[in-house]
Amino acid sequence: MSFVSYSAALRSPAAQSPAAEFDRVVVWITVLLLGLGLVMVYSASIAIAEGGRGTGNQQTYYLMRHAVFVGLSVVMGVIAFQFPIRFWQQAAPYLFVVGLVLLALVLVPGIGREVNGARRWLPLVVFNLQPSELMKVFAVLYAADYTVRKAAFMHSLAKGFLPMFAVMFVAGALLLREPDFGAFAVITVIAMGILFLGGMNWKLFAGLIVMLLCAFLALVMYSPYRMQRVIGFMDPWADPYGKGYQLSHALIAFGRGEWFGVGLGGSVEKLFYLPEAHTDFLLAVIAEELGFVGVLAIVIMFAWIVQRAFAIGRRAAMQERYYAALVAQGIGLWIGVQAIINMGVNMGVLPTKGLTLPLLSFGGSAISATCVALAILLRVDWEGRQITRGFKV
């Protein structure tokens, strides 16, 4: 889009209306979730910040870090919004390679940082980078680019499916070595979903699902660690002080919350009973303090974001902007699936996995990746509105 046409677009009456420039629903829901995340991370982390190691006994330790993460993530999102979608399409293969390199570096002794038996972080000067979070963004961009480039071969096993399977197999193998089964599941769903939305032959897609189910069963059966998690999730009360400890306390938190919760700050489970209360199990604290109503509001907000993402993608497809359409719908798929998995884990309907609740849980890499993805989604929407009004982008 030229500078002259861009200036004319800004001066036009339609452009002066905020609703004509971007999807305000996505923006406001993002702001609400980030704001609620700040409040709930503070509430859930007060006890561990005051009595934990390396926090200086400061109640606001995690709050201040989370606020910095949110601020930096918003800035990164604003920067990402400035790049046109054609830039992301051209950069997608290179970004995916960068993601693979970062995943490999995590596994190198002396470079990757190990916490609780998992090697998932690259220690930087002021924070730890989790490459698997960035890989989710890169997977969306690459899978959409691959699907558009290979559109003529989506009915071919050799030319359409196998090349994508090969690169995703490499990424999956690196993730499982960390191990980070949750990120592996999300990235797999992203790739499968985008291929399906891009027109993959339904027989190939059905065969892929069968293969993935068999692979999942094999991973569980031949890994005592994963088998214990599955068994513990099925009956956490069988060993409430062992493998079922975390889930049993999450369920207690949900039970205590009832309809309207015990009140903000009134959670008992966050007082060193529920591990990872401010990260993976933040929803349990929200359920205890804000009750069913609070959890339902969060579910509605995530469902609304997913609906808007697919609506933005559908409009892009109608404009024959197929890469932008797949990126938008891939982002919606990613956020929706990860939210469902985290909620399912907290409620005891899915095995325990180390996945955060998007935009809410403590974690700089996760929030940054999600904000960048939502900024790209808004860019897809903005470009679509410009085209509708007759401007080139």
Side-chain angles (χ1 to χ4, degrees), residues 240-262:
Y241 297 104
K243 59 190 177 184
Y245 179 82
Q246 197 169 27
L247 179 54
S248 62
H249 280 279
L251 294 176
I252 291 172
F254 272 89
R256 292 192 73 247
E258 298 185 351
W259 286 98
F260 299 102
V262 298

Side-chain angles (χ1 to χ4, degrees), residues 338-351:
Q338 182 159 332
I340 289 172
I341 292 176
N342 180 274
M343 293 175 185
V345 167
N346 276 254
M347 297 177 188
V349 297
L350 291 173

Side-chain angles (χ1 to χ4, degrees), residues 181 215-235 243-244 351-353:
F181 193 79
F216 172 77
L217 291 175
L219 287 171
V220 171
M221 293 178 63
Y222 291 99
S223 173
Y225 163 76
R226 296 190 184 97
M227 179 64 76
Q228 289 179 2
R229 285 207 165 189
V230 171
I231 295 175
F233 130 78
M234 290 180 175
D235 187 8
K243 59 190 177 184
T352 304
K353 292 287 166 237

Side-chain angles (χ1 to χ4, degrees), residues 135-189:
M135 198 61 180
K136 295 171 187 175
V137 183
F138 300 159
V140 170
L141 298 174
Y142 177 76
D145 175 59
Y146 177 88
T147 303
V148 171
R149 285 189 290 109
K150 298 285 187 177
F153 304 106
M154 281 295 104
H155 295 276
S156 171
L157 175 65
K159 296 181 178 180
F161 167 69
L162 289 181
M164 186 65 171
F165 174 80
V167 295
M168 287 301 173
F169 177 83
V170 174
L174 292 171
L175 287 169
L176 292 176
R177 286 284 296 171
E178 294 184 4
D180 194 346
F181 193 79
F184 168 72
V186 171
I187 290 175
T188 300
V189 170

Side-chain angles (χ1 to χ4, degrees), residues 362-375:
F362 178 83
S365 298
I367 294 178
S368 298
T370 307
C371 285
V372 168
L374 289 172

Side-chain angles (χ1 to χ4, degrees), residues 246-309:
Q246 197 169 27
L247 179 54
S248 62
H249 280 279
L251 294 176
I252 291 172
F254 272 89
R256 292 192 73 247
E258 298 185 351
W259 286 98
F260 299 102
V262 298
L264 187 62
S267 170
V268 172
E269 288 301 318
K270 70 185 181 184
L271 304 178
F272 296 101
Y273 292 104
L274 179 62
E276 309 296 338
H278 60 301
T279 56
D280 301 346
F281 280 83
L282 184 66
L283 186 68
V285 177
I286 294 174
E288 187 177 2
E289 295 188 351
L290 304 182
F292 173 80
V293 173
V295 174
L296 180 61
I298 290 174
V299 172
I300 291 174
M301 284 190 281
F302 277 116
W304 208 345
I305 283 184
V306 173
Q307 186 274 329
R308 293 310 307 152

